[in-house]
Amino acid sequence: MTQPVEKNDDPSRLLKLWNLRRLSFPLLAQKLSWIVREKISDWVFDQIIARQAFDSVPRPTLEHLGINSSSATSTLMLKKIFRLYHIQPHEVLVDVGCGRGRVIAWWLNMGCNNKIYGYELDDDIASLAKKKFAGHENVTIISGNILDRFPTDADVFYLANPFGAKTTGEFKSRLVETYYGKKEIAIVSFYCMHIDVFRNDPRFNIQEIDFPKWSVARDSGFPWYAVIRLTASSGKNEGS
Ligand SMILES: C[S@@+](CC[C@H](N)C(=O)[O-])C[C@H]1O[C@@H](n2cnc3c(N)ncnc32)[C@H](O)[C@@H]1O
């Protein structure tokens, strides 16, 4: 059954611009430097290495699905995030909401031969990703809601803030039903607005990295990125 997908509450660009007035000049300079490096790094990766424009999914394409977060994770962020979480060769990787597939292309370019799943809710975007990775036997792109066809052999889930709070809660329930007591699972999460769904649940251990000082999202109550581990069951800390 298809789950209703609620709107993600990412603040608007205008609000983000308005918040910039709080930054001092040196912090604004640091922010600008990050943005420039991010753009250059993404351009080099997309145009020269992967030869695919991953960031060009127009927002209106996704609005009918109630999705407003459609940007691909930047390659600078991916470098940082996967320095914190080291992928092991035996791990099965899942990009939850893969879009056109920059994360998958980045994993492949890093030399990962792991089994990889990319789930994408939007059929048209999923078709583009299927075409892109058709030559890679280890990559499977699945079109549809991940909650409808939850993977049963995964080790690592990558999430770039694809859901609102309600769907994040449903994702957590599905994860616990499928894996708790069987094996440890890592959720590698970028811009984890809904981290509260996992906090204070004894089944999860969380390693959080805060936003840099130049980010207006600092002190917003959620981390820049995090590794959330579903522990193997101890048999005593059974939460809801
Ligand atoms: C922000 S993009 C991230 C793309 C890619 N993971 C990255 O980081 O570069 C989020 C994607 O998640 C997809 N999505 C949202 N909810 C989903 C769901 N329930 N199942 C599968 N995909 C979903 C959206 O269609 C969108 O393309």
Side-chain angles (χ1 to χ4, degrees):
M1 193 186 71
T2 304
Q3 312 284 324
V5 181
E6 89 275 40
K7 227 174 173 28
N8 202 335
D9 343 287
D10 199 3
S12 73
R13 273 166 202 240
L14 273 179
L15 186 63
K16 285 181 184 164
L17 273 178
W18 173 245
N19 284 341
L20 281 180
R21 78 198 190 289
R22 284 196 257 134
L23 295 183
S24 63
F25 184 74
L27 290 182
L28 268 176
Q30 283 177 33
K31 185 177 176 79
L32 190 65
S33 150
W34 171 268
I35 292 170
V36 171
R37 283 182 293 128
E38 207 170 40
K39 291 277 174 226
I40 294 172
S41 169
D42 286 349
W43 187 87
V44 169
F45 183 78
D46 291 4
Q47 304 301 324
I48 298 175
I49 299 175
R51 294 175 182 275
Q52 169 82 49
F54 292 109
D55 224 351
S56 60
V57 179
R59 273 175 188 243
T61 311
L62 296 175
E63 269 169 8
H64 68 286
L65 297 169
I67 292 165
N68 62 8
S69 171
S70 58
S71 334
T73 310
S74 77
T75 47
L76 276 196
M77 265 331 297
L78 289 170
K79 258 182 225 159
K80 272 187 177 295
I81 293 169
F82 288 99
R83 249 185 243 141
L84 179 68
Y85 185 85
H86 295 274
I87 294 172
Q88 301 303 312
H90 68 274
E91 288 176 328
V92 176
L93 313 176
V94 181
D95 186 5
V96 182
C98 64
R100 288 187 174 202
R102 184 187 278 151
V103 176
I104 296 174
W106 195 82
W107 284 334
L108 293 172
N109 187 57
M110 292 288 293
C112 293
N113 291 317
N114 303 51
K115 184 171 180 182
I116 297 173
Y117 295 114
Y119 283 78
E120 176 48 54
L121 192 58
D122 184 276
D123 290 340
D124 295 338
I125 300 173
S127 314
L128 294 173
K130 276 182 194 165
K131 215 182 275 172
K132 173 72 190 161
F133 300 111
H136 295 270
E137 278 186 9
N138 57 328
V139 178
T140 308
I141 304 296
I142 298 162
S143 179
N145 188 336
I146 186 165
L147 299 177
D148 293 340
R149 289 171 69 188
F150 205 72
T152 54
D153 59 345
D155 295 286
V156 181
F157 288 84
Y158 177 73
L159 277 84
N161 191 30
F163 311 133
K166 183 170 172 284
T167 311
T168 306
E170 288 167 4
F171 173 82
K172 178 182 124 176
S173 303
R174 208 54 63 84
L175 196 78
V176 169
E177 281 160 28
T178 312
Y179 297 106
Y180 187 57
K182 294 179 188 144
K183 65 171 171 175
E184 191 174 300
I185 296 290
I187 305 166
V188 180
S189 175
F190 168 52
Y191 206 82
C192 346
M193 288 184 77
H194 306 295
I195 192 97
D196 281 345
V197 169
F198 301 96
R199 281 182 182 147
N200 304 318
D201 182 330
R203 294 170 297 194
F204 292 89
N205 286 330
I206 308 180
Q207 193 179 2
E208 301 188 20
I209 305 295
D210 198 3
F211 287 90
K213 285 195 181 122
W214 50 255
S215 170
V216 288
R218 198 173 163 89
D219 302 325
S220 51
F222 64 90
W224 198 17
Y225 55 102
V227 177
I228 304 166
R229 287 189 171 81
L230 173 66
T231 54
S233 169
S234 68
K236 42 186 176 176
N237 289 330
E238 300 289 331
S240 56

